[in-house]
Amino acid sequence: MADRLDSLRHELLEAVDHAPDLKTLDEVRVQALGKKGRVTEVMKTLGSLPAEERKPFGQRVNAVKAAVEEAIAARREVLEAAELEAKLEAERLDVTLPPRPHPIGRLHPVTQVTEEITAIFADMGFAVAEGPDVDDDFHNFTALNFPPEHPAREMHDTFFIEGHPELVLRTHTSTVQIRTMMAGPPPYRIIAPGRTFRCDSDATHSPMFHQVEGLVIDRSTHMGHLKGCLQDFCEAFFERDDVPLRFRPSFFPFTEPSAEVDIGCRRSKDELIIGEGSDWMEILGCGMVHPAVLENVGVDPDAWQGFAFGLGIDRMAMLKYGIPDLRTFFEADLRWLKHYGFAALDFPTTFAGLAR
Ligand code: PHE
């Protein structure tokens, strides 16, 4: 009997030590110590022994059990460490490697063009400002000198928020002119790119679209600066020095005088080319900031003056990258994005080239 116990102990310890992985180790444990395990079975024979043999034999079986348990615990520790090591090795990631040459994701042309526009104005010394998409009547209209009965306030153009009569989805980024001027004293030289919303939809209008607001206020900024700034900007943006621009007199309650600017282009169903043909596409509204607006935000109009503009980002993307229909921008068609999209890590800069 004693020999049998010794060889059982030897056999089990051997099996534990040779278990190649945690799963096998657990099988060995069940076979040895489980309800029907080898050690358990031997324990069950205790009752059939003569009374005086039971105690010493029981003690020996328990010693075998303890030795096997201890061996299992030790082996488990070794195997767990090895398994972790293997896992870490397999999941190793060298973060210093260059990115994959063909990233799957593409930047939307609106994102790309926003970055390009921001890079150009940053070079001209403009800071970037922001405001919320959902704004109030004051920032969107009242402070911008819209009279109470002005048609732009009507349902026709503006999205209102149900249950919140004072809130609107901003119809233009001019809200950020107000926020900027109320946040601190002049001078100001900012651009504010962002989403804007109007109840309108066709090949060149989308109910959600993007604008960049520009605002320059100091002691003597005038309309000539505005023209020069926009001409320089367009030449930098389109990377050519013959961009045909047309300034048309216009009206905005918050500028006086006001103008709209068109770019000469040729447009057909599936093509859009700038600098050719006889079509004009409107890209922005601009003008000298109205003295009443300056007064509304607490800036002295006798001491400060300057210009503002609101540029349609989506239209700029259409013109630069020859995309004829604005509605395709927001259809979330991956084939379209693959065709018109941009590599994610090519940040536009004016010195390295805006789009590559
Ligand atoms: N906010 C005007 C629009 O969306 C554009 C604009 C901005 C005009 C700034 C003048 C000055 O149509």
Side-chain angles (χ1 to χ4, degrees):
M1 199 65 187
D3 287 351
R4 234 186 73 202
L5 254 190
D6 277 344
S7 66
L8 177 63
R9 172 198 170 101
H10 183 75
E11 191 190 320
L12 291 177
L13 290 183
E14 194 91 330
V16 168
D17 279 348
H18 287 103
D21 51 45
L22 287 168
K23 191 166 167 286
T24 317
L25 182 64
D26 203 53
E27 283 162 16
V28 171
R29 183 187 59 80
V30 172
Q31 278 163 25
L33 309 173
K35 267 194 198 129
K36 291 193 176 137
R38 311 267 300 274
V39 178
T40 319
E41 292 298 328
V42 176
M43 203 60 118
K44 283 179 194 160
T45 64
L46 217 58
S48 61
L49 291 180
E52 70 278 10
E53 284 179 27
R54 276 181 209 160
K55 194 172 174 203
F57 186 75
Q59 278 171 346
R60 291 200 53 219
V61 179
N62 272 334
V64 171
K65 192 177 168 207
V68 171
E69 274 170 352
E70 199 179 304
I72 288 174
R75 183 70 185 151
R76 174 171 292 134
E77 230 169 79
V78 171
L79 289 176
E80 275 174 354
E83 219 156 86
L84 179 64
E85 197 55 42
K87 194 163 179 243
L88 289 176
E89 190 59 38
E91 293 175 0
R92 192 190 198 91
L93 192 67
D94 183 350
V95 294
T96 66
L97 283 176
R100 288 164 213 253
H102 302 294
I104 300 158
R106 307 283 284 166
L107 291 185
H108 195 285
V110 169
T111 306
Q112 169 74 18
V113 164
T114 305
E115 294 291 333
E116 292 178 22
I117 294 172
T118 307
I120 296 168
F121 281 113
D123 268 13
M124 295 186 189
F126 284 73
V128 175
E130 278 183 326
D133 290 1
V134 179
D135 213 325
D136 53 24
D137 182 272
F138 173 78
H139 290 90
N140 200 83
F141 295 125
T142 306
L144 286 162
N145 196 36
F146 281 78
E149 73 287 0
H150 193 281
R153 288 179 180 239
E154 282 170 18
M155 287 303 256
H156 167 76
D157 277 318
T158 310
F159 288 111
F160 294 90
I161 312 277
E162 221 168 58
H164 297 272
E166 75 289 1
L167 294 183
V168 298
L169 296 187
R170 65 176 176 191
T171 60
H172 51 188
T173 43
S174 301
T175 52
V176 188
Q177 285 186 39
I178 302 305
R179 291 185 173 275
T180 302
M181 292 191 284
M182 291 183 78
Y188 312 106
R189 182 183 288 255
I190 58 105
I191 56 162
R195 287 201 174 98
T196 46
F197 308 84
R198 276 181 218 176
C199 193
D200 208 349
S201 181
D202 62 33
T204 51
H205 295 86
S206 146
M208 188 281 294
F209 58 107
H210 300 82
Q211 285 190 336
V212 179
E213 194 77 7
L215 175 71
V216 177
I217 302 281
D218 58 30
R219 301 273 179 196
S220 57
T221 297
H222 56 69
M223 196 85 181
H225 295 128
L226 167 61
K227 267 195 95 173
C229 173
L230 293 175
Q231 186 75 43
D232 283 356
F233 162 73
C234 283
E235 284 168 15
F237 180 77
F238 291 107
E239 292 170 287
R240 52 191 283 178
D241 51 19
D242 58 344
V243 184
L245 283 189
R246 179 172 81 172
F247 282 73
R248 267 184 299 110
S250 184
F251 173 80
F252 300 102
F254 40 95
T255 47
E256 181 59 35
S258 305
E260 279 175 321
V261 177
D262 307 328
I263 287 198
C265 61
R266 180 156 57 83
R267 193 147 141 227
S268 66
K269 201 177 134 290
D270 33 40
E271 247 191 348
L272 179 58
I273 300 170
I274 78 152
E276 283 181 22
S278 54
D279 295 332
W280 293 96
M281 181 138 113
E282 185 195 320
I283 54 158
L284 67 88
C286 61
M288 298 302 294
V289 175
H290 199 295
V293 174
L294 296 177
E295 252 162 37
N296 288 342
V297 297
V299 171
D300 178 3
D302 292 325
W304 301 95
Q305 62 176 46
F307 63 78
F309 59 85
L311 173 71
I313 299 181
D314 319 80
R315 300 253 180 111
M316 294 300 273
M318 291 173 75
L319 284 162
K320 183 162 179 180
Y321 296 111
I323 312 171
D325 192 330
L326 178 61
R327 285 166 295 200
T328 59
F329 276 57
F330 309 116
E331 281 168 357
D333 184 336
L334 280 179
R335 292 163 305 175
W336 183 91
L337 192 58
K338 207 169 166 204
H339 181 76
Y340 287 115
F342 293 83
L345 294 165
D346 286 344
F347 300 111
T349 59
T350 48
F351 48 90
L354 292 172
R356 278 161 287 151

PDB file of all heavy atoms in Angstrom, residues 54-75:
ATOM      1  N   ARG A  54      -5.790   3.395  10.051  1.00  0.00           N
ATOM      2  CA  ARG A  54      -6.462   4.533   9.383  1.00  0.00           C
ATOM      3  C   ARG A  54      -5.725   5.851   9.576  1.00  0.00           C
ATOM      4  O   ARG A  54      -5.492   6.562   8.615  1.00  0.00           O
ATOM      5  CB  ARG A  54      -7.874   4.690   9.942  1.00  0.00           C
ATOM      6  CG  ARG A  54      -8.844   3.775   9.238  1.00  0.00           C
ATOM      7  CD  ARG A  54     -10.228   3.955   9.766  1.00  0.00           C
ATOM      8  NE  ARG A  54     -10.947   2.720   9.642  1.00  0.00           N
ATOM      9  CZ  ARG A  54     -12.041   2.417  10.334  1.00  0.00           C
ATOM     10  NH1 ARG A  54     -12.527   3.286  11.204  1.00  0.00           N
ATOM     11  NH2 ARG A  54     -12.634   1.262  10.155  1.00  0.00           N
ATOM     12  N   LYS A  55      -5.346   6.147  10.826  1.00  0.00           N
ATOM     13  CA  LYS A  55      -4.760   7.463  11.086  1.00  0.00           C
ATOM     14  C   LYS A  55      -3.445   7.682  10.323  1.00  0.00           C
ATOM     15  O   LYS A  55      -3.313   8.645   9.570  1.00  0.00           O
ATOM     16  CB  LYS A  55      -4.542   7.669  12.581  1.00  0.00           C
ATOM     17  CG  LYS A  55      -4.257   9.120  12.890  1.00  0.00           C
ATOM     18  CD  LYS A  55      -4.218   9.380  14.367  1.00  0.00           C
ATOM     19  CE  LYS A  55      -3.775  10.816  14.601  1.00  0.00           C
ATOM     20  NZ  LYS A  55      -3.198  10.971  15.933  1.00  0.00           N
ATOM     21  N   PRO A  56      -2.455   6.778  10.480  1.00  0.00           N
ATOM     22  CA  PRO A  56      -1.199   7.009   9.740  1.00  0.00           C
ATOM     23  C   PRO A  56      -1.405   7.025   8.222  1.00  0.00           C
ATOM     24  O   PRO A  56      -0.813   7.855   7.522  1.00  0.00           O
ATOM     25  CB  PRO A  56      -0.305   5.836  10.151  1.00  0.00           C
ATOM     26  CG  PRO A  56      -1.188   4.845  10.820  1.00  0.00           C
ATOM     27  CD  PRO A  56      -2.382   5.564  11.344  1.00  0.00           C
ATOM     28  N   PHE A  57      -2.278   6.160   7.729  1.00  0.00           N
ATOM     29  CA  PHE A  57      -2.483   6.135   6.292  1.00  0.00           C
ATOM     30  C   PHE A  57      -3.152   7.438   5.811  1.00  0.00           C
ATOM     31  O   PHE A  57      -2.727   8.047   4.835  1.00  0.00           O
ATOM     32  CB  PHE A  57      -3.349   4.923   5.906  1.00  0.00           C
ATOM     33  CG  PHE A  57      -3.476   4.769   4.417  1.00  0.00           C
ATOM     34  CD1 PHE A  57      -2.397   4.281   3.662  1.00  0.00           C
ATOM     35  CD2 PHE A  57      -4.639   5.123   3.752  1.00  0.00           C
ATOM     36  CE1 PHE A  57      -2.512   4.153   2.298  1.00  0.00           C
ATOM     37  CE2 PHE A  57      -4.751   5.007   2.380  1.00  0.00           C
ATOM     38  CZ  PHE A  57      -3.679   4.510   1.639  1.00  0.00           C
ATOM     39  N   GLY A  58      -4.166   7.828   6.620  1.00  0.00           N
ATOM     40  CA  GLY A  58      -4.848   9.093   6.287  1.00  0.00           C
ATOM     41  C   GLY A  58      -3.859  10.251   6.236  1.00  0.00           C
ATOM     42  O   GLY A  58      -3.911  11.081   5.322  1.00  0.00           O
ATOM     43  N   GLN A  59      -2.971  10.282   7.184  1.00  0.00           N
ATOM     44  CA  GLN A  59      -1.980  11.371   7.214  1.00  0.00           C
ATOM     45  C   GLN A  59      -1.104  11.346   5.960  1.00  0.00           C
ATOM     46  O   GLN A  59      -0.787  12.390   5.377  1.00  0.00           O
ATOM     47  CB  GLN A  59      -1.095  11.244   8.453  1.00  0.00           C
ATOM     48  CG  GLN A  59      -1.757  11.836   9.676  1.00  0.00           C
ATOM     49  CD  GLN A  59      -0.976  11.518  10.959  1.00  0.00           C
ATOM     50  OE1 GLN A  59      -0.084  10.647  10.969  1.00  0.00           O
ATOM     51  NE2 GLN A  59      -1.334  12.193  12.035  1.00  0.00           N
ATOM     52  N   ARG A  60      -0.740  10.142   5.535  1.00  0.00           N
ATOM     53  CA  ARG A  60       0.129  10.035   4.360  1.00  0.00           C
ATOM     54  C   ARG A  60      -0.608  10.482   3.089  1.00  0.00           C
ATOM     55  O   ARG A  60      -0.046  11.180   2.258  1.00  0.00           O
ATOM     56  CB  ARG A  60       0.628   8.595   4.207  1.00  0.00           C
ATOM     57  CG  ARG A  60       1.609   8.206   5.323  1.00  0.00           C
ATOM     58  CD  ARG A  60       2.448   7.024   4.921  1.00  0.00           C
ATOM     59  NE  ARG A  60       3.103   7.227   3.660  1.00  0.00           N
ATOM     60  CZ  ARG A  60       3.255   6.285   2.747  1.00  0.00           C
ATOM     61  NH1 ARG A  60       2.788   5.075   2.968  1.00  0.00           N
ATOM     62  NH2 ARG A  60       3.888   6.553   1.627  1.00  0.00           N
ATOM     63  N   VAL A  61      -1.888  10.069   3.001  1.00  0.00           N
ATOM     64  CA  VAL A  61      -2.663  10.489   1.824  1.00  0.00           C
ATOM     65  C   VAL A  61      -2.774  12.018   1.808  1.00  0.00           C
ATOM     66  O   VAL A  61      -2.605  12.663   0.773  1.00  0.00           O
ATOM     67  CB  VAL A  61      -4.060   9.846   1.807  1.00  0.00           C
ATOM     68  CG1 VAL A  61      -4.849  10.327   0.583  1.00  0.00           C
ATOM     69  CG2 VAL A  61      -3.955   8.330   1.806  1.00  0.00           C
ATOM     70  N   ASN A  62      -3.047  12.579   3.000  1.00  0.00           N
ATOM     71  CA  ASN A  62      -3.156  14.048   3.073  1.00  0.00           C
ATOM     72  C   ASN A  62      -1.850  14.734   2.665  1.00  0.00           C
ATOM     73  O   ASN A  62      -1.866  15.788   2.024  1.00  0.00           O
ATOM     74  CB  ASN A  62      -3.533  14.489   4.495  1.00  0.00           C
ATOM     75  CG  ASN A  62      -5.044  14.509   4.650  1.00  0.00           C
ATOM     76  OD1 ASN A  62      -5.767  14.678   3.667  1.00  0.00           O
ATOM     77  ND2 ASN A  62      -5.516  14.285   5.876  1.00  0.00           N
ATOM     78  N   ALA A  63      -0.722  14.097   3.049  1.00  0.00           N
ATOM     79  CA  ALA A  63       0.574  14.671   2.674  1.00  0.00           C
ATOM     80  C   ALA A  63       0.739  14.667   1.155  1.00  0.00           C
ATOM     81  O   ALA A  63       1.228  15.632   0.560  1.00  0.00           O
ATOM     82  CB  ALA A  63       1.703  13.903   3.348  1.00  0.00           C
ATOM     83  N   VAL A  64       0.304  13.564   0.520  1.00  0.00           N
ATOM     84  CA  VAL A  64       0.381  13.490  -0.943  1.00  0.00           C
ATOM     85  C   VAL A  64      -0.474  14.608  -1.548  1.00  0.00           C
ATOM     86  O   VAL A  64      -0.065  15.340  -2.450  1.00  0.00           O
ATOM     87  CB  VAL A  64      -0.099  12.115  -1.461  1.00  0.00           C
ATOM     88  CG1 VAL A  64      -0.228  12.136  -2.980  1.00  0.00           C
ATOM     89  CG2 VAL A  64       0.847  11.015  -0.996  1.00  0.00           C
ATOM     90  N   LYS A  65      -1.700  14.735  -0.999  1.00  0.00           N
ATOM     91  CA  LYS A  65      -2.632  15.745  -1.502  1.00  0.00           C
ATOM     92  C   LYS A  65      -1.996  17.140  -1.410  1.00  0.00           C
ATOM     93  O   LYS A  65      -1.998  17.913  -2.385  1.00  0.00           O
ATOM     94  CB  LYS A  65      -3.909  15.689  -0.664  1.00  0.00           C
ATOM     95  CG  LYS A  65      -5.048  16.482  -1.261  1.00  0.00           C
ATOM     96  CD  LYS A  65      -6.293  16.313  -0.405  1.00  0.00           C
ATOM     97  CE  LYS A  65      -7.322  17.330  -0.848  1.00  0.00           C
ATOM     98  NZ  LYS A  65      -8.213  17.685   0.228  1.00  0.00           N
ATOM     99  N   ALA A  66      -1.405  17.417  -0.206  1.00  0.00           N
ATOM    100  CA  ALA A  66      -0.803  18.742   0.000  1.00  0.00           C
ATOM    101  C   ALA A  66       0.354  18.958  -0.966  1.00  0.00           C
ATOM    102  O   ALA A  66       0.504  20.044  -1.548  1.00  0.00           O
ATOM    103  CB  ALA A  66      -0.335  18.880   1.436  1.00  0.00           C
ATOM    104  N   ALA A  67       1.156  17.913  -1.181  1.00  0.00           N
ATOM    105  CA  ALA A  67       2.310  18.053  -2.077  1.00  0.00           C
ATOM    106  C   ALA A  67       1.841  18.342  -3.501  1.00  0.00           C
ATOM    107  O   ALA A  67       2.398  19.208  -4.199  1.00  0.00           O
ATOM    108  CB  ALA A  67       3.152  16.775  -2.044  1.00  0.00           C
ATOM    109  N   VAL A  68       0.779  17.635  -3.932  1.00  0.00           N
ATOM    110  CA  VAL A  68       0.270  17.841  -5.302  1.00  0.00           C
ATOM    111  C   VAL A  68      -0.299  19.268  -5.430  1.00  0.00           C
ATOM    112  O   VAL A  68      -0.025  19.974  -6.394  1.00  0.00           O
ATOM    113  CB  VAL A  68      -0.804  16.781  -5.649  1.00  0.00           C
ATOM    114  CG1 VAL A  68      -1.478  17.126  -6.974  1.00  0.00           C
ATOM    115  CG2 VAL A  68      -0.165  15.400  -5.704  1.00  0.00           C
ATOM    116  N   GLU A  69      -1.057  19.690  -4.399  1.00  0.00           N
ATOM    117  CA  GLU A  69      -1.631  21.045  -4.450  1.00  0.00           C
ATOM    118  C   GLU A  69      -0.536  22.104  -4.558  1.00  0.00           C
ATOM    119  O   GLU A  69      -0.620  23.045  -5.340  1.00  0.00           O
ATOM    120  CB  GLU A  69      -2.463  21.303  -3.185  1.00  0.00           C
ATOM    121  CG  GLU A  69      -3.888  20.804  -3.330  1.00  0.00           C
ATOM    122  CD  GLU A  69      -4.655  20.830  -2.000  1.00  0.00           C
ATOM    123  OE1 GLU A  69      -4.017  21.084  -0.952  1.00  0.00           O
ATOM    124  OE2 GLU A  69      -5.865  20.576  -2.039  1.00  0.00           O
ATOM    125  N   GLU A  70       0.482  21.917  -3.762  1.00  0.00           N
ATOM    126  CA  GLU A  70       1.572  22.879  -3.768  1.00  0.00           C
ATOM    127  C   GLU A  70       2.281  22.922  -5.120  1.00  0.00           C
ATOM    128  O   GLU A  70       2.570  23.996  -5.664  1.00  0.00           O
ATOM    129  CB  GLU A  70       2.576  22.473  -2.672  1.00  0.00           C
ATOM    130  CG  GLU A  70       3.493  23.594  -2.253  1.00  0.00           C
ATOM    131  CD  GLU A  70       4.437  23.107  -1.142  1.00  0.00           C
ATOM    132  OE1 GLU A  70       3.924  22.623  -0.111  1.00  0.00           O
ATOM    133  OE2 GLU A  70       5.657  23.197  -1.356  1.00  0.00           O
ATOM    134  N   ALA A  71       2.485  21.720  -5.664  1.00  0.00           N
ATOM    135  CA  ALA A  71       3.153  21.641  -6.972  1.00  0.00           C
ATOM    136  C   ALA A  71       2.313  22.326  -8.050  1.00  0.00           C
ATOM    137  O   ALA A  71       2.835  23.033  -8.919  1.00  0.00           O
ATOM    138  CB  ALA A  71       3.400  20.182  -7.344  1.00  0.00           C
ATOM    139  N   ILE A  72       0.985  22.113  -7.964  1.00  0.00           N
ATOM    140  CA  ILE A  72       0.096  22.734  -8.955  1.00  0.00           C
ATOM    141  C   ILE A  72       0.180  24.258  -8.879  1.00  0.00           C
ATOM    142  O   ILE A  72       0.302  24.952  -9.890  1.00  0.00           O
ATOM    143  CB  ILE A  72      -1.364  22.259  -8.768  1.00  0.00           C
ATOM    144  CG1 ILE A  72      -1.497  20.805  -9.232  1.00  0.00           C
ATOM    145  CG2 ILE A  72      -2.332  23.154  -9.543  1.00  0.00           C
ATOM    146  CD1 ILE A  72      -2.853  20.188  -8.972  1.00  0.00           C
ATOM    147  N   ALA A  73       0.143  24.787  -7.636  1.00  0.00           N
ATOM    148  CA  ALA A  73       0.204  26.239  -7.463  1.00  0.00           C
ATOM    149  C   ALA A  73       1.500  26.795  -8.037  1.00  0.00           C
ATOM    150  O   ALA A  73       1.503  27.821  -8.735  1.00  0.00           O
ATOM    151  CB  ALA A  73       0.073  26.594  -5.991  1.00  0.00           C
ATOM    152  N   ALA A  74       2.595  26.103  -7.784  1.00  0.00           N
ATOM    153  CA  ALA A  74       3.888  26.579  -8.279  1.00  0.00           C
ATOM    154  C   ALA A  74       3.921  26.547  -9.807  1.00  0.00           C
ATOM    155  O   ALA A  74       4.371  27.495 -10.466  1.00  0.00           O
ATOM    156  CB  ALA A  74       5.012  25.722  -7.701  1.00  0.00           C
ATOM    157  N   ARG A  75       3.412  25.422 -10.352  1.00  0.00           N
ATOM    158  CA  ARG A  75       3.426  25.267 -11.807  1.00  0.00           C
ATOM    159  C   ARG A  75       2.524  26.329 -12.465  1.00  0.00           C
ATOM    160  O   ARG A  75       2.853  26.893 -13.508  1.00  0.00           O
ATOM    161  CB  ARG A  75       2.941  23.851 -12.172  1.00  0.00           C
ATOM    162  CG  ARG A  75       2.963  23.526 -13.657  1.00  0.00           C
ATOM    163  CD  ARG A  75       4.392  23.401 -14.182  1.00  0.00           C
ATOM    164  NE  ARG A  75       4.424  23.202 -15.621  1.00  0.00           N
ATOM    165  CZ  ARG A  75       5.424  23.595 -16.403  1.00  0.00           C
ATOM    166  NH1 ARG A  75       6.473  24.178 -15.872  1.00  0.00           N
ATOM    167  NH2 ARG A  75       5.386  23.386 -17.688  1.00  0.00           N
TER     168      ARG A  75
END
